[in-house]
């Protein structure tokens, strides 16, 4: 049977790096079940030349589209065919269409690991009818400083975000406007107040950009919208059935996310119980919702019940649980909206 090897990118975060092999194997299982033409029969960690790889066998040789799809694995650096003791490089072609510093340049306390953000977006998109196809509309309802939004933009998708923290909104607005100028991408960007019955209820950043003037003239553009407001009011800013993918990294039990009428909530599960029904209405039929959360803040069965009560079907996915620090053990749950 054909055998292959994945060389894993080194993680800047040591703790995440210790989990990256196992998480890549589980991510690979999702790719196999949801997207690849050829079935992956099993994977394992193998050291080749003293370097750790994820190796796997397939029932039939990987097609070129399969290799291109695997190029998007969150921690993959290179894909090889195994021929005895030799590694034969395979032609990778990821979805990335923008400079990688869009993802890596921002440095701030509490930033989610970029590899994990990509993993979350990958496994969530693969649960939906469109998979990692073209033209997806991606929404992060608790976007912080935009790591998920930036990954969506990297893939060529339109990105939409929402966050209650005004400082995070201003920081991301400043970053993305500066980045677009520095890259000399043809774009428009404006921040406007949002009012209802003359009362200010939020701020909205609207960005449209293309890779060149010619692309913009041809209508080949991407859209980015970020709203500074409470995520519980998401239905006031976005229309039902607007998004193919909703992916968010939920707060880890510190003050966060929603004022809820009585100060900031300290219980992520309570916030999600209030927010998920509204988020589910924003998903298109056949779309998918992926939530990363701190397992110390609630059990997966509790979160699954919240998603099911909102009319979503929880996916039977591998275990993505991994240790972050003494107060955080992070996991992912994914559900799809029936088509």
């Amino acid at each position: 049977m054909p055998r292959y090897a994945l060389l894993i990118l080194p993680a800047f975060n040591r703790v995440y790096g210790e989990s990256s092999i196992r998480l890549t194997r589980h991510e690979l299982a999702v790719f196999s079940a949801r997207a690849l033409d050829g079935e992956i029969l099993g994977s394992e960690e193998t050291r080749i030349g003293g370097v750790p790889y994820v190796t796997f066998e397939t029932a039939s040789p990987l097609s070129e589209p399969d290799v291109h799809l695997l190029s998007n694995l969150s921690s993959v650096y290179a894909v090889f065919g195994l021929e005895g003791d030799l590694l034969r490089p395979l032609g990778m072609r990821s979805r990335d269409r923008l400079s990688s510093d869009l993802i890596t340049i921002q440095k701030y306390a509490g930033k989610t690991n970029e590899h994990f953000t990509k993993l979350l977006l990958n496994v969530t998109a693969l649960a939906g009818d469109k998979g990692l196809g073209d033209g997806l509309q991606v929404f992060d309802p608790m976007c912080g400083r935009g790591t998920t939004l930036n990954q969506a933009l990297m893939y060529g998708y339109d990105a939409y975000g929402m966050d209650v923290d005004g400082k995070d909104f201003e920081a991301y607005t400043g970053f993305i406007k500066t980045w677009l100028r520095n890259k000399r991408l043809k774009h428009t960007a404006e921040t406007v107040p949002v009012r209802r019955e003359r009362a200010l209820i939020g701020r909205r950043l609207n960005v449209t950009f293309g890779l060149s003037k010619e692309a913009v003239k041809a209508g080949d553009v991407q859209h980015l919208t970020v709203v500074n407001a409470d995520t519980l009011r998401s239905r006031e800013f976005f229309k039902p059935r607007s998004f193919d993918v909703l992916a968010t990294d939920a707060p880890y039990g510190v003050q966060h996310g929603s004022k809820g009428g009585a100060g900031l909530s300290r219980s992520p599960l309570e916030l999600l119980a209030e927010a998920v029904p509204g988020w589910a209405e924003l998903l298109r039929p056949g779309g998918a919702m992926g939530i990363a959360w701190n397992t110390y803040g609630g059990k997966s069965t509790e979160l699954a019940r919240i998603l099911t009560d909102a009319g979503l079907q929880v996916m039977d996915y591998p275990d993505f649980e991994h240790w972050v620090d003494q107060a955080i053990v992070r996991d992912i749950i994914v559900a799809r909206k029936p088509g």
Side-chain angles (χ1 to χ4, degrees):
M1 287 180 288
R3 295 183 66 227
Y4 300 90
L6 305 174
L7 179 60
I8 304 302
L9 279 163
F12 293 109
N13 182 300
R14 177 189 59 81
V15 174
Y16 188 82
E18 291 173 352
S19 302
S20 60
I21 292 287
R22 178 176 59 84
L23 293 176
T24 298
R25 291 180 60 197
H26 292 172
E27 184 183 8
L28 181 63
V30 173
F31 271 69
S32 175
R34 300 293 302 177
L36 297 180
D37 292 330
E39 180 186 1
I40 292 176
L41 302 178
S43 66
E44 61 185 358
E45 178 180 350
T46 306
R47 299 191 75 85
I48 303 174
V51 177
Y53 290 76
V54 171
T55 57
F56 59 94
E57 294 182 343
T58 58
S60 57
L62 290 177
S63 64
E64 187 175 274
D66 280 346
V67 176
H68 293 169
L69 192 63
L70 291 178
S71 303
N72 297 295
L73 284 163
S74 61
S75 294
V76 72
Y77 184 66
V79 183
F80 299 94
L82 277 172
E83 299 178 357
D85 294 330
L86 300 180
L87 294 167
R88 178 171 56 86
L90 302 180
M92 296 177 63
R93 190 175 73 192
S94 75
R95 292 200 60 91
D96 292 350
R97 57 182 270 159
L98 300 171
S99 171
S100 62
D101 62 359
L102 174 62
I103 302 292
T104 60
I105 198 171
Q106 286 179 292
K107 305 294 181 185
Y108 53 89
K111 181 182 179 182
T112 303
N113 181 278
E114 297 97 344
H115 296 181
F116 176 77
T117 297
K118 189 173 183 179
L119 186 154
L120 173 63
L121 181 58
N122 281 347
V123 298
T124 305
L126 288 173
D129 289 351
K130 295 183 179 179
L132 284 172
D134 296 330
L136 268 61
Q137 310 287 303
V138 177
F139 179 46
D140 183 350
M142 295 185 289
C143 65
R145 297 194 185 186
T147 306
T148 303
L149 305 181
N150 291 342
Q151 182 58 59
L153 295 175
M154 282 287 293
Y155 275 177
Y157 300 150
D158 291 338
Y160 301 83
M162 193 166 188
D163 204 276
V164 73
D165 192 311
K167 291 183 178 179
D168 281 351
F169 176 82
E170 291 164 5
Y172 183 66
T173 296
F175 164 75
I176 197 66
K177 287 181 177 180
T178 300
W179 188 86
L180 288 166
R181 285 196 301 268
N182 289 344
K183 295 300 177 181
R184 299 183 178 181
L185 295 179
K186 181 69 174 176
H187 69 279
T188 61
E190 62 173 357
T191 303
V192 297
V194 182
R195 301 182 185 276
R196 295 287 187 275
E197 298 177 354
R198 299 184 180 180
L200 181 68
I201 63 169
R203 293 177 291 172
R204 186 193 298 266
L205 168 69
N206 296 313
V207 176
T208 301
F209 70 93
L211 300 184
S212 66
K213 291 182 180 179
E214 292 73 24
V216 172
K217 288 180 180 179
D220 180 12
V221 296
Q222 289 177 251
H223 301 283
L224 167 68
T225 295
V226 184
V227 173
N228 175 209
D230 192 327
T231 192
L232 297 182
R233 305 182 71 174
S234 57
R235 279 290 312 277
E236 298 179 37
F237 295 89
F238 301 103
K239 296 178 180 179
R241 302 186 176 196
S242 292
F243 306 118
D244 303 294
V245 173
L246 187 153
T248 195
D249 194 5
Y252 297 146
V254 295
Q255 286 192 339
H256 65 81
S258 169
K259 293 182 179 178
L264 290 173
S265 168
R266 288 185 177 272
S267 171
L269 221 58
E270 290 177 8
L271 172 59
L272 292 172
E274 289 188 71
V276 164
W279 295 349
E281 293 181 21
L282 299 178
L283 273 179
R284 292 175 177 146
M289 180 184 302
I291 300 174
W293 90 104
N294 181 12
T295 61
Y296 288 145
K299 298 179 180 179
S300 60
T301 52
E302 296 174 290
L303 188 47
R305 188 178 305 114
I306 291 171
L307 294 167
T308 301
D309 288 347
L312 305 177
Q313 299 172 340
V314 177
M315 302 296 294
D316 182 17
Y317 266 9
D319 172 20
F320 287 108
E321 183 174 292
H322 61 286
W323 191 83
V324 177
D325 63 29
Q326 291 181 347
I328 301 171
V329 175
R330 185 166 52 197
D331 202 354
I332 291 173
I333 190 167
V334 176
R336 71 186 308 277
K337 187 171 184 175

